[in-house]
Amino acid sequence: MGIGGGIFLIVLGAILSFAVRDSWDVVDLTMIGYICMAAGAIALIIALVMNRQRTNTSHTVVERREGPPPVEPPR
C-alpha cells in the first residue's frame, strides 16, 4: 500500500470520525473512521519498516583473476 496509502487512510478515517455527523441505522461512520485510522497507521508502519530494510542491503562484487593480464604486442 505504501506511505501514501497509509496517510490517505488516516486522513479519511479522521474525516469520518470527527467531521461527519451524518448517521445511518446500519453503519456507524465514527467506528469506520477509527478502523480506517488504525489500518492507515499499520500500513504506514509496515511501509516504513519495509523501506528501512530496503536501504540496509549491501552488494558485494567479487572479481576472480587467474594469472597475469594478457599483454598485447606493440604496433
Side-chain angles (χ1 to χ4, degrees):
M1 192 178 288
I3 295 173
I7 291 173
F8 174 75
L9 282 176
I10 291 172
V11 170
L12 180 68
I15 290 171
L16 286 175
S17 295
F18 306 123
V20 176
R21 295 291 174 213
D22 193 17
S23 64
W24 296 336
D25 293 336
V26 294
V27 178
D28 185 11
L29 292 179
T30 304
M31 184 55 66
I32 291 176
Y34 289 142
I35 291 170
C36 284
M37 284 194 295
I42 292 171
L44 188 62
I45 290 170
I46 290 173
L48 290 175
V49 167
M50 296 297 283
N51 195 20
R52 177 72 179 146
Q53 288 178 353
R54 187 179 318 150
T55 60
N56 280 341
T57 60
S58 62
H59 302 282
T60 304
V61 176
V62 177
E63 289 186 22
R64 183 173 176 174
R65 297 182 184 182
E66 296 180 10
V71 178
E72 294 184 22
R75 292 184 183 192

